[in-house]
Amino acid sequence: MKNLGMGMMRLPLLDENDFTSIDYEQVNQMVDAFMDAGFNYFDTAFIYHETVGEQAFKKCVADRYPRDSFKIATKLPLFIITEESQLEPLFSQQLENCGVDYFDYFMLHNVSGFTETAWKNVDLYSFIQKKKEEGYIKHIGISTHGNAEFLEEILFEHPELEFVLLQINYLDWEDENIESAKCLEVARKYNKQVMVMEPYKGGFLADVPEEAEKIMKEYAPDRSVVSWAMRFVANIDDVCVVLTGASTIDQLEENIKEIKNADPLNDDELKVLDEVSQIINSNITVDCTKCRYCVDACPEEIDIAKVFDLYNKHKLLEQDDWTQFGNAYLNYSKLEGVGIASDCSECESCIEECPQQINIPEVLKDVAKTFENEIYGFNE
């Protein structure tokens, strides 16, 4: 059985518009259920939940369980690093944030063209190697959304890296931008442990179009949509951890059940997933996984991830007029201190942060046209 990791990127909230309003009571329940099921690997990052994600781990795990009962992975925030003098204070803050005196797994966060200012100008690799030698880190690695060629270059130049965290799921397996399969082969070539993020691609594979779900149910009536996605990643050779980004206790319990029962896919089932992938790709308007990296970069304070989610759901209904998702956008637009799609200044800061390589300003124009003009006439 593959190891399941509890990703703490999309924790339950008390206020859906405030990503710091973590529902700690529910997170405690999730942590307890996760540990009771025999799993103990937690994954967080400095920037998660608008920089309170690591503190959430401390409050819900480190403060409630003995240190030898869990493993913690976190990531150095390359997005904010411009000079070497930042590294020691940041690392010390992360240890304090998480409430631990060492990290089991420590990564450079999203090593890619989007963070090259940090990894090209600051010797990050020597820093994390030094922290490992000092005993503050057990294993060093990277998370990346780069393509296979980029990953090969990094792993060739840095043999000291022990593992990689890759975006792998059946929808991205052959995708020309993500290159999940090719990236996995590169990691194998360099004998690196592989950990999987986004097995459900930000929720896309947990809530597929009706046409796709029908095909799955016709083949296996008793299997859930989530089961197909989990079985795909859980049975890939050389994958040691699959992260779940569960946002509720129910989602987490389903993930636990599915990974414990993740028998391999046969050839006919792989053909079903190929067909399902074609349907999903034809229905997805914006390939956004709601990682929220772009949100922090937006000077107009547009909650890009939220409006793209509403836009995708609206488009799936194939209606040109009012939908509940258009109404949710209207409610969002009335919140104090938030930007709406038409506020986009096209500064392109968001594009630099997007792992999925979405031309965000262009899509925001379509969002504004759909929700603000065609449905509600904001600018009339």
Side-chain angles (χ1 to χ4, degrees):
M1 182 178 67
K2 286 291 192 298
N3 191 15
L4 185 67
M6 181 171 169
M8 306 187 78
M9 182 183 190
R10 303 180 181 97
L11 297 175
L13 303 173
L14 297 172
D15 178 354
E16 65 174 17
N17 296 305
D18 179 2
F19 280 82
T20 66
S21 67
I22 295 169
D23 183 347
Y24 289 106
E25 182 177 349
Q26 187 173 176
V27 177
N28 284 341
Q29 293 175 12
M30 294 169 71
V31 168
D32 293 344
F34 186 71
M35 296 284 274
D36 288 345
F39 300 107
N40 68 352
Y41 183 100
F42 296 87
D43 175 275
T44 186
F46 183 86
I47 65 168
Y48 287 175
H49 282 273
E50 298 181 3
T51 73
V52 301
E54 290 179 333
Q55 292 94 319
F57 167 81
K58 177 181 185 299
K59 186 170 183 176
C60 298
V61 183
D63 288 351
R64 300 174 62 241
Y65 285 90
R67 180 64 184 90
D68 61 358
S69 68
F70 62 82
K71 298 184 186 301
I72 172 61
T74 193
K75 310 170 189 75
L76 191 69
L78 308 194
F79 315 90
I80 62 175
I81 293 172
T82 56
E83 57 186 45
E84 190 168 347
S85 63
Q86 296 173 274
L87 298 180
E88 283 286 354
L90 260 175
F91 187 81
S92 296
Q93 183 180 347
Q94 290 187 268
L95 285 171
E96 182 179 349
N97 286 349
C98 291
V100 296
D101 52 11
Y102 70 91
F103 295 119
D104 297 283
Y105 295 86
F106 193 78
M107 289 163 262
L108 303 182
H109 197 173
N110 192 16
V111 178
S112 63
F114 311 118
T115 56
E116 65 179 7
T117 299
W119 55 263
K120 279 192 173 180
N121 299 331
V122 182
D123 191 358
L124 304 171
Y125 295 94
S126 294
F127 176 77
I128 59 175
Q129 178 69 17
K130 173 172 171 282
K131 288 302 173 185
K132 180 185 174 184
E133 292 168 356
E134 293 172 349
Y136 293 109
I137 301 172
K138 299 297 183 185
H139 303 284
I140 57 175
I142 62 169
S143 72
T144 182
H145 295 272
N147 63 17
E149 182 180 1
F150 178 86
L151 179 62
E152 173 130 27
E153 182 179 336
I154 294 296
L155 295 184
F156 177 80
E157 292 179 356
H158 296 283
E160 69 273 21
L161 295 172
E162 299 170 84
F163 69 95
V164 292
L165 177 60
L166 300 175
Q167 179 172 319
I168 299 178
N169 54 69
Y170 67 77
L171 194 65
D172 291 327
W173 190 243
E174 301 290 349
D175 185 274
E176 294 179 358
N177 293 313
I178 308 300
E179 294 189 337
S180 289
K182 291 182 179 179
C183 286
L184 178 65
E185 287 304 316
V186 170
R188 285 172 172 162
K189 176 181 175 180
Y190 289 90
N191 297 312
K192 305 303 179 184
Q193 283 192 313
V194 175
M195 300 174 184
V196 170
M197 57 178 157
E198 301 292 0
Y200 305 124
K201 196 172 174 66
F204 277 128
L205 306 187
D207 186 20
V208 301
E210 288 184 12
E211 182 184 357
E213 184 173 3
K214 181 181 178 182
I215 294 172
M216 291 171 156
K217 288 297 185 181
E218 285 177 349
Y219 185 91
D222 296 331
R223 288 201 178 275
S224 68
V225 169
V226 167
S227 173
W228 288 82
M230 179 60 77
R231 290 171 65 209
F232 182 86
V233 293
N235 287 289
I236 298 173
D237 291 339
D238 303 319
V239 166
C240 59
V241 176
V242 176
L243 296 181
T244 167
S247 296
T248 67
I249 181 68
D250 290 341
Q251 290 176 2
L252 181 65
E253 288 177 342
E254 183 176 14
N255 291 165
I256 291 170
K257 181 187 75 172
E258 294 300 347
I259 201 165
K260 286 187 172 183
N261 296 284
D263 53 307
L265 294 156
N266 60 40
D267 290 343
D268 287 339
E269 288 173 318
L270 289 172
K271 290 177 182 177
V272 169
L273 285 185
D274 284 341
E275 189 173 353
V276 165
S277 296
Q278 293 177 29
I279 294 170
I280 295 173
N281 282 322
S282 69
N283 279 272
I284 293 177
T285 306
V286 190
D287 195 18
C288 171
T289 64
K290 295 175 281 190
C291 69
R292 302 188 63 79
Y293 298 157
C294 60
V295 177
D296 295 331
C298 179
E300 307 303 329
E301 298 187 358
I302 304 169
D303 192 334
I304 300 164
K306 182 181 182 69
V307 301
F308 280 1
D309 183 45
L310 295 174
Y311 183 60
N312 270 331
K313 291 173 178 175
H314 172 83
K315 286 293 187 180
L316 281 172
L317 295 179
E318 297 183 347
Q319 292 181 218
D320 295 327
D321 53 4
W322 184 94
T323 65
Q324 63 267 45
F325 305 113
N327 193 64
Y329 182 87
L330 178 63
N331 293 335
Y332 160 79
S333 72
K334 294 180 178 178
L335 294 173
E336 186 175 348
V338 304
I340 58 176
S342 59
D343 290 331
C344 175
S345 61
E346 300 185 51
C347 67
E348 299 189 352
S349 297
C350 52
I351 296 178
E352 298 174 6
E353 304 295 341
C354 180
Q356 312 304 324
Q357 303 176 39
I358 300 168
N359 188 334
I360 295 173
E362 285 301 309
V363 180
L364 284 173
K365 291 178 183 177
D366 291 334
V367 175
K369 178 182 176 183
T370 299
F371 286 147
E372 299 178 28
N373 298 340
E374 294 178 356
I375 297 179
Y376 290 110
F378 281 24
N379 300 318
E380 291 181 355

